[in-house]
Amino acid sequence: MRGDGDGWVFASDGSRRWGRHGAAGLLLRAPGPSGHATVLLQHRAGWSHHGGTWALPGGAIDSHESPAGAAVREAGEEAGIAGESLTVRGERVTWTEDSGWSYTTVVADAAAQLDTVPNGESTELRWVAEDDVESLPLHPSFAESWPALRSVPVRAVLGPDVDEVPPRTVDLGERGFGWIVAVVTTDRVEETVDASRAAESAVGTTVVITADESVRRAVSPALAAEL
């Protein structure tokens, strides 16, 4: 069924973009066999725009949809991914045009690599290790946005209000996205603060994950991430 977002938008230079209300794609992460981050990529059918390249499942946003809603819907249509099997962690506007058209990359994760069912817009769907993404012939727009979307390894310090291992993908705001590779648990605010201060001088990226405002105030704002 065609949505009211289907249609081309033309820029001043005559180039065109799909989606009358903009477009969105889903960057879905899941742990690989060794726990490293993998992303689901779509090998675009030859007849499509930039056919033969690799990119994200996605498409036009309908007038009643949010970018996240459109991206999850498109992943269902193009990859057979059920919305309840993933959790959205953040989004970024990764492309804009002078026409007002924009593309939003919606970042989500799943507990494991999900089975996929390609439709006619794909020749293949593949879970790809993040380190291997740039070895593929990428859609030009995705290639340009990828460096800001790929994750960095993160060490997570859990505040005393967090009693389970958090999601693997963490939205780091202006710093991009993190992938949790190690977890430190704490039982008291003082322990959380001490662990975060020790981490500030360590190599790599560390975040304190908590919904407790007192803990967030007590640690470096740059280290705090809300669960």
Side-chain angles (χ1 to χ4, degrees):
M1 179 182 296
R2 291 178 61 87
D4 68 359
D6 287 355
W8 295 103
V9 174
F10 291 87
S12 59
D13 62 0
S15 63
R16 62 182 186 174
R17 298 288 182 177
W18 183 253
R20 295 175 57 225
H21 308 292
L26 186 73
L27 175 56
L28 181 61
R29 285 191 179 90
S34 63
H36 61 278
T38 66
V39 295
L40 180 63
L41 296 185
Q42 175 194 58
H43 196 199
R44 298 169 65 85
W47 58 265
S48 65
H49 191 233
H50 289 291
T53 62
W54 291 82
L56 305 175
I61 302 172
D62 288 337
S63 60
H64 65 280
E65 289 182 306
S66 65
V72 172
R73 172 182 55 77
E74 289 284 345
E77 294 173 1
E78 298 181 3
I81 299 293
E84 59 268 20
S85 64
L86 58 87
T87 303
V88 173
R89 302 300 182 190
E91 57 184 61
R92 299 287 189 274
V93 176
T94 48
W95 198 270
T96 58
E97 299 278 353
D98 59 10
S99 62
W101 184 92
S102 64
Y103 185 94
T104 302
T105 301
V106 177
V107 178
D109 60 15
Q113 293 179 345
L114 304 174
D115 292 333
T116 59
V117 181
N119 69 357
E121 298 184 38
S122 312
T123 58
E124 182 185 357
L125 294 162
R126 184 190 303 177
W127 288 98
V128 180
E130 283 203 322
D131 289 343
D132 296 334
V133 168
E134 292 177 315
S135 68
L136 298 172
L138 303 178
H139 185 287
S141 299
F142 178 53
E144 187 167 333
S145 63
W146 172 244
L149 294 169
R150 69 173 300 167
S151 67
V152 296
V154 163
R155 174 177 179 263
V157 177
L158 306 190
D161 61 316
V162 181
D163 57 7
E164 60 183 0
V165 176
R168 299 297 292 268
T169 299
V170 180
D171 189 340
L172 302 175
E174 294 181 355
R175 294 174 291 163
F177 292 91
W179 179 257
I180 295 175
V181 296
V183 176
V184 175
T185 59
T186 61
D187 295 323
R188 296 179 296 112
V189 171
E190 293 79 5
E191 291 178 5
T192 308
V193 174
D194 289 344
S196 68
R197 288 174 176 168
E200 286 185 278
S201 60
V203 176
T205 301
T206 297
V207 294
V208 176
I209 300 185
T210 178
D212 188 324
E213 283 299 324
S214 66
V215 177
R216 294 173 65 83
R217 288 193 299 269
V219 303
S220 168
L223 290 176
E226 192 167 352
L227 181 62

